[in-house]
Coordinates of all heavy atoms in Angstrom, one line a residue:
M18 N 5.4 29.8 -231.1 CA 6.0 28.9 -232.0 C 6.0 27.5 -231.4 O 6.4 27.3 -230.2 CB 7.4 29.2 -232.4 CG 8.0 28.3 -233.4 SD 9.6 28.8 -234.1 CE 10.7 28.3 -232.8
K19 N 5.6 26.5 -232.1 CA 5.6 25.1 -231.7 C 6.7 24.4 -232.5 O 6.9 24.7 -233.7 CB 4.3 24.4 -231.8 CG 3.1 25.1 -231.1 CD 3.2 25.0 -229.7 CE 2.0 25.6 -229.0 NZ 2.1 25.5 -227.6
K20 N 7.2 23.3 -231.9 CA 8.2 22.5 -232.6 C 8.2 21.1 -232.2 O 8.0 20.8 -231.0 CB 9.6 23.2 -232.3 CG 10.8 22.5 -233.0 CD 12.0 23.2 -232.6 CE 13.3 22.5 -233.2 NZ 14.5 23.2 -232.9
F21 N 8.5 20.2 -233.1 CA 8.7 18.8 -232.7 C 9.8 18.2 -233.6 O 10.0 18.7 -234.7 CB 7.4 18.0 -232.7 CG 6.8 17.6 -234.0 CD1 7.1 16.4 -234.7 CD2 5.9 18.5 -234.6 CE1 6.6 16.1 -235.9 CE2 5.4 18.2 -235.9 CZ 5.7 17.0 -236.5
T22 N 10.4 17.1 -233.2 CA 11.4 16.4 -233.9 C 11.0 15.0 -234.2 O 10.4 14.4 -233.3 CB 12.7 16.4 -233.1 OG1 13.1 17.8 -232.8 CG2 13.8 15.7 -233.8
Y23 N 11.2 14.5 -235.4 CA 10.8 13.2 -235.8 C 11.9 12.5 -236.6 O 12.5 13.2 -237.5 CB 9.5 13.2 -236.6 CG 9.0 11.9 -236.9 CD1 8.4 11.1 -236.0 CD2 9.2 11.3 -238.2 CE1 7.9 9.8 -236.3 CE2 8.8 10.1 -238.5 CZ 8.1 9.3 -237.6 OH 7.7 8.0 -237.9
T24 N 12.2 11.3 -236.3 CA 13.2 10.5 -237.1 C 12.4 9.7 -238.1 O 11.5 8.9 -237.7 CB 14.1 9.6 -236.2 OG1 14.8 10.5 -235.3 CG2 15.1 8.9 -237.0
I25 N 12.7 9.8 -239.4 CA 12.0 9.1 -240.5 C 12.1 7.6 -240.3 O 13.3 7.1 -240.3 CB 12.4 9.6 -241.8 CG1 12.3 11.1 -242.0 CG2 11.7 8.8 -243.0 CD1 10.9 11.6 -241.8
Q26 N 11.0 6.9 -240.3 CA 11.0 5.4 -240.2 C 10.7 4.7 -241.5 O 11.0 3.5 -241.6 CB 10.0 5.0 -239.1 CG 10.2 5.6 -237.7 CD 11.5 5.2 -237.1 OE1 11.9 4.0 -237.1 NE2 12.3 6.2 -236.7
D27 N 10.1 5.4 -242.4 CA 9.7 4.8 -243.7 C 11.0 4.5 -244.5 O 11.9 5.4 -244.6 CB 8.9 5.8 -244.5 CG 8.3 5.2 -245.8 OD1 9.1 4.9 -246.7 OD2 7.1 4.9 -245.9
E28 N 11.1 3.3 -245.0 CA 12.3 2.9 -245.7 C 12.6 3.8 -247.0 O 13.8 3.9 -247.3 CB 12.2 1.4 -246.2 CG 12.2 0.5 -245.0 CD 12.1 -1.0 -245.4 OE1 12.1 -1.3 -246.6 OE2 12.0 -1.8 -244.5
I29 N 11.6 4.3 -247.6 CA 11.8 5.1 -248.8 C 12.0 6.6 -248.4 O 12.6 7.4 -249.2 CB 10.5 5.0 -249.7 CG1 10.3 3.6 -250.1 CG2 10.7 5.9 -250.9 CD1 9.0 3.3 -250.8
G30 N 11.6 7.0 -247.2 CA 11.8 8.4 -246.7 C 10.7 9.2 -247.2 O 9.6 8.8 -247.4
L31 N 10.9 10.5 -247.2 CA 9.8 11.5 -247.6 C 9.9 11.7 -249.1 O 10.6 12.5 -249.6 CB 10.1 12.8 -246.8 CG 9.0 13.9 -247.1 CD1 7.6 13.5 -246.8 CD2 9.4 15.2 -246.3
H32 N 9.1 10.8 -249.7 CA 9.0 10.8 -251.2 C 7.8 11.6 -251.7 O 7.1 12.2 -250.8 CB 9.1 9.4 -251.8 CG 8.1 8.5 -251.2 ND1 6.9 8.3 -251.8 CD2 8.1 7.7 -250.1 CE1 6.2 7.4 -251.1 NE2 6.9 7.1 -250.1
A33 N 7.5 11.6 -252.9 CA 6.5 12.4 -253.5 C 5.1 12.2 -252.9 O 4.4 13.2 -252.7 CB 6.4 12.2 -255.0
R34 N 4.6 11.0 -252.7 CA 3.3 10.8 -252.2 C 3.1 11.3 -250.8 O 2.1 12.1 -250.6 CB 2.9 9.3 -252.2 CG 1.5 9.0 -251.9 CD 1.1 7.6 -252.0 NE 1.4 7.1 -253.3 CZ 2.0 5.9 -253.5 NH1 2.3 5.1 -252.5 NH2 2.4 5.5 -254.7
P35 N 3.9 11.0 -249.8 CA 3.7 11.6 -248.5 C 4.0 13.1 -248.5 O 3.4 13.9 -247.8 CB 4.6 10.9 -247.6 CG 5.6 10.2 -248.4 CD 5.0 10.0 -249.8
A36 N 4.9 13.6 -249.4 CA 5.1 15.0 -249.5 C 3.9 15.8 -249.9 O 3.6 16.8 -249.4 CB 6.3 15.3 -250.4
S37 N 3.1 15.2 -250.9 CA 1.9 15.8 -251.4 C 0.9 15.8 -250.3 O 0.1 16.8 -250.1 CB 1.4 15.2 -252.6 OG 1.0 13.9 -252.4
Q38 N 0.8 14.8 -249.5 CA -0.1 14.7 -248.3 C 0.3 15.8 -247.3 O -0.6 16.5 -246.8 CB -0.1 13.4 -247.6 CG -0.7 12.3 -248.5 CD -0.4 10.9 -247.9 OE1 0.7 10.6 -247.4 NE2 -1.4 10.0 -248.0
L39 N 1.6 15.9 -247.0 CA 2.1 16.9 -246.1 C 1.7 18.3 -246.6 O 1.3 19.2 -245.8 CB 3.6 16.8 -246.0 CG 4.3 17.9 -245.1 CD1 3.8 17.9 -243.7 CD2 5.8 17.6 -245.2
I40 N 1.9 18.6 -247.9 CA 1.5 19.9 -248.4 C 0.0 20.2 -248.3 O -0.3 21.3 -247.9 CB 1.9 20.0 -249.9 CG1 3.5 20.0 -250.0 CG2 1.3 21.2 -250.6 CD1 4.0 19.7 -251.4
R41 N -0.8 19.2 -248.5 CA -2.2 19.4 -248.3 C -2.6 19.8 -246.9 O -3.4 20.7 -246.6 CB -3.0 18.1 -248.7 CG -4.5 18.3 -248.9 CD -5.2 17.1 -249.5 NE -4.4 16.2 -250.3 CZ -4.0 15.0 -250.0 NH1 -4.5 14.4 -248.9 NH2 -3.3 14.2 -250.8
I42 N -1.9 19.1 -245.9 CA -2.1 19.4 -244.5 C -1.6 20.8 -244.2 O -2.3 21.6 -243.6 CB -1.4 18.4 -243.6 CG1 -2.1 17.0 -243.7 CG2 -1.4 18.9 -242.2 CD1 -1.3 15.9 -243.1
A43 N -0.4 21.1 -244.7 CA 0.2 22.5 -244.4 C -0.7 23.6 -245.0 O -0.8 24.7 -244.3 CB 1.6 22.5 -244.9
K44 N -1.2 23.4 -246.1 CA -2.0 24.5 -246.8 C -3.4 24.7 -246.1 O -4.0 25.7 -246.3 CB -2.2 24.2 -248.3 CG -1.0 24.4 -249.1 CD -1.2 24.2 -250.6 CE 0.0 24.6 -251.4 NZ -0.2 24.5 -252.8
S45 N -3.8 23.7 -245.3 CA -5.1 23.8 -244.6 C -5.0 24.7 -243.3 O -6.0 25.0 -242.7 CB -5.6 22.5 -244.3 OG -4.9 21.8 -243.2
Y46 N -3.8 25.1 -243.0 CA -3.6 26.0 -241.8 C -3.0 27.3 -242.2 O -2.3 27.4 -243.2 CB -2.6 25.3 -240.8 CG -3.2 24.0 -240.2 CD1 -2.9 22.8 -240.7 CD2 -4.1 24.1 -239.2 CE1 -3.4 21.6 -240.2 CE2 -4.7 23.0 -238.6 CZ -4.3 21.8 -239.1 OH -4.9 20.7 -238.6
K47 N -3.3 28.3 -241.4 CA -2.7 29.6 -241.6 C -1.3 29.8 -241.1 O -0.6 30.6 -241.6 CB -3.6 30.7 -240.9 CG -5.0 30.8 -241.5 CD -5.8 31.8 -240.8 CE -7.2 31.8 -241.4 NZ -8.1 32.8 -240.7
S48 N -0.9 28.9 -240.2 CA 0.4 28.9 -239.7 C 1.5 28.6 -240.7 O 1.2 27.9 -241.7 CB 0.6 27.9 -238.5 OG -0.2 28.3 -237.5
K49 N 2.7 29.1 -240.5 CA 3.8 28.8 -241.4 C 4.5 27.6 -240.8 O 4.9 27.5 -239.7 CB 4.8 30.0 -241.4 CG 6.0 29.7 -242.3 CD 7.0 30.8 -242.3 CE 8.2 30.4 -243.1 NZ 9.2 31.5 -243.1
I50 N 4.6 26.5 -241.7 CA 5.2 25.3 -241.3 C 6.5 25.1 -242.0 O 6.5 25.1 -243.3 CB 4.2 24.1 -241.5 CG1 2.9 24.4 -240.7 CG2 4.8 22.8 -241.2 CD1 1.7 23.5 -241.2
T51 N 7.5 24.8 -241.3 CA 8.9 24.6 -241.9 C 9.5 23.3 -241.5 O 9.3 22.9 -240.3 CB 9.8 25.8 -241.4 OG1 9.2 27.0 -241.7 CG2 11.1 25.7 -242.1
L52 N 10.1 22.6 -242.4 CA 10.8 21.4 -242.2 C 12.3 21.7 -242.2 O 12.8 22.4 -243.1 CB 10.5 20.3 -243.3 CG 9.0 20.0 -243.5 CD1 9.0 19.0 -244.7 CD2 8.5 19.3 -242.3
I53 N 13.0 21.1 -241.3 CA 14.5 21.3 -241.3 C 15.1 19.9 -241.2 O 14.9 19.1 -240.3 CB 14.9 22.1 -240.1 CG1 14.2 23.5 -240.1 CG2 16.5 22.3 -240.1 CD1 14.3 24.2 -238.8
N54 N 16.0 19.6 -242.2 CA 16.8 18.3 -242.2 C 17.9 18.6 -241.2 O 18.8 19.4 -241.5 CB 17.3 18.0 -243.6 CG 18.1 16.8 -243.7 OD1 18.7 16.4 -242.7 ND2 18.2 16.2 -244.9
T55 N 17.9 17.9 -240.1 CA 19.0 18.2 -239.1 C 20.4 17.7 -239.5 O 21.3 18.1 -238.9 CB 18.6 17.6 -237.7 OG1 18.5 16.2 -237.9 CG2 17.3 18.2 -237.2
K56 N 20.4 16.8 -240.5 CA 21.7 16.3 -240.9 C 22.5 17.4 -241.7 O 23.7 17.6 -241.5 CB 21.6 15.1 -241.8 CG 22.9 14.5 -242.2 CD 22.7 13.2 -243.0 CE 24.0 12.6 -243.3 NZ 23.9 11.3 -244.1
N57 N 21.8 18.2 -242.5 CA 22.5 19.2 -243.3 C 22.0 20.6 -243.1 O 22.4 21.6 -243.7 CB 22.4 18.9 -244.8 CG 21.0 18.8 -245.3 OD1 20.1 19.3 -244.7 ND2 20.8 18.2 -246.5
N58 N 21.1 20.8 -242.2 CA 20.5 22.1 -241.8 C 19.8 22.8 -242.9 O 19.6 24.0 -242.8 CB 21.5 23.0 -241.1 CG 21.8 22.6 -239.7 OD1 20.9 22.1 -239.0 ND2 23.0 22.9 -239.2
K59 N 19.4 22.1 -243.9 CA 18.6 22.7 -245.0 C 17.1 22.8 -244.5 O 16.6 21.9 -243.8 CB 18.6 21.9 -246.3 CG 19.9 21.9 -247.0 CD 19.8 21.2 -248.3 CE 21.1 21.3 -249.1 NZ 21.0 20.6 -250.4
S60 N 16.4 23.8 -244.9 CA 15.0 24.0 -244.5 C 14.1 24.3 -245.7 O 14.6 24.7 -246.7 CB 14.9 25.1 -243.5 OG 15.2 26.3 -244.0
A61 N 12.8 24.0 -245.5 CA 11.9 24.3 -246.6 C 10.5 24.5 -246.0 O 10.2 23.9 -245.0 CB 11.8 23.1 -247.5
E62 N 9.7 25.4 -246.6 CA 8.4 25.5 -246.3 C 7.6 24.3 -246.6 O 7.8 23.7 -247.7 CB 7.7 26.7 -247.0 CG 8.1 28.0 -246.4 CD 7.3 29.2 -247.0 OE1 6.0 29.0 -247.1 OE2 7.9 30.2 -247.3
A63 N 6.7 23.9 -245.8 CA 6.0 22.6 -246.0 C 4.9 22.7 -247.1 O 4.2 21.8 -247.3 CB 5.3 22.1 -244.7
T64 N 4.8 23.8 -247.7 CA 3.8 24.0 -248.8 C 4.5 24.0 -250.2 O 3.8 24.1 -251.2 CB 3.0 25.3 -248.7 OG1 4.0 26.4 -248.7 CG2 2.2 25.3 -247.4
K65 N 5.8 23.7 -250.3 CA 6.5 23.8 -251.5 C 7.1 22.4 -251.9 O 8.1 22.0 -251.2 CB 7.6 24.8 -251.4 CG 7.2 26.1 -250.8 CD 7.2 27.2 -251.9 CE 6.9 28.5 -251.3 NZ 5.8 29.2 -251.8
M66 N 6.6 21.8 -252.9 CA 7.0 20.4 -253.2 C 8.4 20.3 -253.6 O 9.2 19.5 -253.0 CB 6.1 19.9 -254.4 CG 6.6 18.5 -254.9 SD 6.4 17.2 -253.7 CE 4.7 16.7 -254.1
M67 N 8.9 21.2 -254.5 CA 10.3 21.1 -254.9 C 11.3 21.3 -253.7 O 12.3 20.7 -253.6 CB 10.6 22.0 -256.0 CG 9.8 21.6 -257.3 SD 10.0 19.9 -257.8 CE 11.7 19.9 -258.3
A68 N 10.9 22.2 -252.9 CA 11.8 22.5 -251.7 C 11.8 21.4 -250.7 O 12.9 21.0 -250.2 CB 11.3 23.8 -251.0
I69 N 10.7 20.7 -250.5 CA 10.7 19.5 -249.7 C 11.5 18.4 -250.2 O 12.3 17.8 -249.5 CB 9.2 19.1 -249.4 CG1 8.4 20.1 -248.6 CG2 9.2 17.7 -248.8 CD1 6.9 19.8 -248.6
M70 N 11.4 18.2 -251.5 CA 12.1 17.1 -252.2 C 13.6 17.4 -252.2 O 14.4 16.5 -252.0 CB 11.6 16.9 -253.6 CG 10.1 16.5 -253.7 SD 9.6 15.1 -252.7 CE 10.6 13.8 -253.4
A71 N 14.0 18.6 -252.2 CA 15.4 19.0 -252.2 C 16.1 18.8 -250.9 O 17.3 18.8 -250.8 CB 15.5 20.5 -252.7
L72 N 15.3 18.6 -249.8 CA 15.8 18.4 -248.5 C 16.5 17.0 -248.4 O 17.4 16.9 -247.5 CB 14.8 18.5 -247.4 CG 14.2 19.9 -247.2 CD1 13.0 19.7 -246.1 CD2 15.2 20.8 -246.7
G73 N 16.2 16.1 -249.3 CA 16.8 14.8 -249.2 C 16.5 14.0 -248.0 O 17.4 13.4 -247.4
I74 N 15.3 14.0 -247.5 CA 14.9 13.3 -246.3 C 14.6 11.9 -246.6 O 13.7 11.5 -247.2 CB 13.6 14.0 -245.7 CG1 13.9 15.5 -245.4 CG2 13.2 13.3 -244.4 CD1 12.8 16.3 -244.9
V75 N 15.6 11.0 -246.1 CA 15.5 9.6 -246.3 C 15.4 8.9 -244.9 O 15.4 9.5 -243.9 CB 16.8 9.1 -247.1 CG1 16.8 9.7 -248.5 CG2 18.0 9.4 -246.3
Y76 N 15.3 7.6 -245.0 CA 15.2 6.8 -243.8 C 16.3 7.1 -242.8 O 17.5 7.3 -243.2 CB 15.3 5.3 -244.1 CG 15.4 4.4 -242.9 CD1 14.2 4.1 -242.2 CD2 16.6 3.9 -242.5 CE1 14.2 3.2 -241.1 CE2 16.6 3.0 -241.4 CZ 15.5 2.7 -240.7 OH 15.5 1.9 -239.6
G77 N 15.9 7.3 -241.5 CA 16.9 7.6 -240.5 C 17.2 9.0 -240.2 O 17.9 9.4 -239.3
I78 N 16.8 9.9 -241.2 CA 17.1 11.3 -241.0 C 16.2 11.9 -240.0 O 15.0 11.6 -239.9 CB 16.9 12.1 -242.4 CG1 17.9 11.6 -243.4 CG2 16.9 13.6 -242.2 CD1 19.3 12.1 -243.1
T79 N 16.7 12.8 -239.1 CA 15.8 13.5 -238.2 C 15.4 14.8 -238.7 O 16.2 15.5 -239.3 CB 16.6 13.7 -236.8 OG1 17.0 12.4 -236.3 CG2 15.8 14.4 -235.8
V80 N 14.1 15.1 -238.6 CA 13.5 16.3 -239.1 C 13.0 17.1 -238.0 O 12.3 16.6 -237.1 CB 12.4 16.0 -240.1 CG1 11.7 17.2 -240.6 CG2 12.9 15.1 -241.2
D81 N 13.3 18.4 -238.0 CA 12.6 19.4 -237.0 C 11.5 20.0 -237.8 O 11.6 20.5 -238.9 CB 13.6 20.5 -236.6 CG 14.6 20.0 -235.6 OD1 14.3 19.0 -234.9 OD2 15.7 20.6 -235.5
V82 N 10.3 20.0 -237.2 CA 9.1 20.7 -237.8 C 8.8 21.8 -236.9 O 8.5 21.7 -235.7 CB 7.9 19.7 -237.9 CG1 6.7 20.3 -238.5 CG2 8.3 18.4 -238.6
T83 N 8.8 23.0 -237.4 CA 8.4 24.2 -236.7 C 7.1 24.8 -237.2 O 6.9 24.8 -238.5 CB 9.5 25.3 -236.7 OG1 9.7 25.7 -238.1 CG2 10.8 24.8 -236.1
I84 N 6.2 25.2 -236.3 CA 4.9 25.8 -236.7 C 4.7 27.1 -236.0 O 4.9 27.2 -234.8 CB 3.8 24.8 -236.3 CG1 4.1 23.4 -236.8 CG2 2.5 25.3 -236.7 CD1 3.7 22.3 -235.9
E85 N 4.4 28.1 -236.8 CA 4.3 29.4 -236.2 C 3.1 30.1 -236.8 O 3.0 30.3 -238.0 CB 5.5 30.3 -236.5 CG 5.6 31.6 -235.7 CD 6.9 32.2 -235.8 OE1 7.8 31.7 -236.5 OE2 7.1 33.3 -235.2
G86 N 2.1 30.5 -235.9 CA 0.9 31.2 -236.4 C -0.2 31.0 -235.4 O -0.1 30.3 -234.4
E87 N -1.4 31.5 -235.9 CA -2.5 31.5 -235.0 C -3.2 30.1 -234.7 O -3.8 29.9 -233.7 CB -3.6 32.5 -235.5 CG -4.1 32.1 -236.9 CD -5.0 33.1 -237.5 OE1 -4.4 34.2 -237.9 OE2 -6.2 32.9 -237.6
D88 N -3.0 29.2 -235.6 CA -3.6 27.8 -235.4 C -2.5 26.8 -235.2 O -2.7 25.6 -235.6 CB -4.5 27.5 -236.6 CG -3.8 27.6 -237.9 OD1 -2.6 28.0 -238.0 OD2 -4.5 27.4 -239.0
E89 N -1.4 27.2 -234.6 CA -0.2 26.3 -234.5 C -0.5 25.0 -233.6 O 0.0 24.0 -233.8 CB 1.0 27.0 -234.0 CG 0.8 27.7 -232.6 CD 2.0 28.6 -232.3 OE1 2.7 29.1 -233.2 OE2 2.1 28.8 -231.1
D90 N -1.4 25.2 -232.6 CA -1.7 24.0 -231.8 C -2.4 22.9 -232.6 O -2.1 21.7 -232.4 CB -2.6 24.4 -230.6 CG -1.8 25.3 -229.6 OD1 -0.6 25.0 -229.3 OD2 -2.4 26.2 -229.0
A91 N -3.4 23.3 -233.3 CA -4.1 22.3 -234.2 C -3.2 21.7 -235.2 O -3.2 20.5 -235.5 CB -5.3 23.0 -234.8
A92 N -2.4 22.6 -235.8 CA -1.4 22.1 -236.9 C -0.4 21.1 -236.2 O -0.1 20.1 -236.8 CB -0.7 23.3 -237.5
L93 N 0.1 21.4 -235.1 CA 1.0 20.5 -234.4 C 0.4 19.2 -234.2 O 1.0 18.1 -234.5 CB 1.4 21.2 -233.0 CG 2.3 20.3 -232.2 CD1 3.7 20.2 -232.8 CD2 2.4 20.9 -230.8
A94 N -0.8 19.1 -233.7 CA -1.5 17.8 -233.4 C -1.6 17.0 -234.7 O -1.3 15.8 -234.7 CB -2.8 18.0 -232.7
E95 N -2.1 17.6 -235.8 CA -2.3 16.9 -237.0 C -1.0 16.5 -237.6 O -0.9 15.4 -238.1 CB -3.1 17.7 -238.0 CG -3.4 16.9 -239.2 CD -4.4 17.6 -240.2 OE1 -4.9 18.7 -239.9 OE2 -4.7 17.0 -241.2
L96 N 0.0 17.3 -237.6 CA 1.3 17.0 -238.2 C 2.0 15.8 -237.4 O 2.6 15.0 -238.0 CB 2.2 18.2 -238.3 CG 1.8 19.2 -239.3 CD1 2.5 20.5 -239.1 CD2 2.0 18.6 -240.7
K97 N 1.9 15.8 -236.1 CA 2.5 14.7 -235.3 C 1.8 13.4 -235.7 O 2.5 12.4 -235.9 CB 2.3 15.0 -233.8 CG 3.4 15.9 -233.2 CD 3.3 15.9 -231.7 CE 4.4 16.7 -231.1 NZ 4.3 16.7 -229.6
T98 N 0.5 13.4 -235.8 CA -0.2 12.2 -236.2 C 0.2 11.8 -237.6 O 0.4 10.6 -237.9 CB -1.7 12.5 -236.2 OG1 -2.1 12.9 -234.9 CG2 -2.5 11.3 -236.6
F99 N 0.3 12.8 -238.5 CA 0.8 12.4 -239.9 C 2.2 11.8 -239.9 O 2.4 10.8 -240.5 CB 0.8 13.7 -240.8 CG 1.4 13.5 -242.1 CD1 0.8 12.8 -243.1 CD2 2.7 14.0 -242.3 CE1 1.4 12.6 -244.4 CE2 3.3 13.8 -243.6 CZ 2.7 13.1 -244.6
F100 N 3.1 12.4 -239.3 CA 4.5 11.9 -239.3 C 4.6 10.5 -238.7 O 5.2 9.6 -239.2 CB 5.4 12.9 -238.6 CG 6.0 13.9 -239.5 CD1 5.2 15.1 -239.8 CD2 7.2 13.8 -240.1 CE1 5.7 16.1 -240.6 CE2 7.7 14.8 -240.9 CZ 7.0 15.9 -241.2
T101 N 3.9 10.3 -237.5 CA 4.1 9.0 -236.9 C 3.3 7.9 -237.6 O 3.7 6.8 -237.6 CB 3.6 9.1 -235.4 OG1 2.2 9.5 -235.4 CG2 4.5 10.0 -234.6
G102 N 2.2 8.3 -238.3 CA 1.4 7.3 -239.0 C 1.9 7.0 -240.4 O 1.6 6.0 -241.0
T103 N 2.6 8.0 -241.0 CA 3.0 7.9 -242.4 C 4.5 7.7 -242.7 O 4.9 7.0 -243.5 CB 2.5 9.1 -243.2 OG1 1.1 9.3 -243.0 CG2 2.8 9.0 -244.7
L104 N 5.3 8.4 -241.9 CA 6.7 8.4 -242.1 C 7.5 7.7 -241.0 O 8.7 7.6 -241.0 CB 7.2 9.8 -242.3 CG 6.6 10.6 -243.5 CD1 6.9 12.1 -243.4 CD2 7.2 10.0 -244.8

């Protein structure tokens, strides 16, 4: 299992457009990718739009991203790039 933590820098937070990009990335891997809002400890699979939106990830919230599966190293690299470049 791989894991990283990221604090949201985008003023709008994790809204529909970046969430759909995240879902596209998550679905391209066999690994299970989970987002955890560290403020309220809610979690969601990164392939489920409504679950991601229900996390309430806004500016300044810290998110734990866990990746578990056979291609977790590649997924970790791409997700880190996505979060730092988009959120």
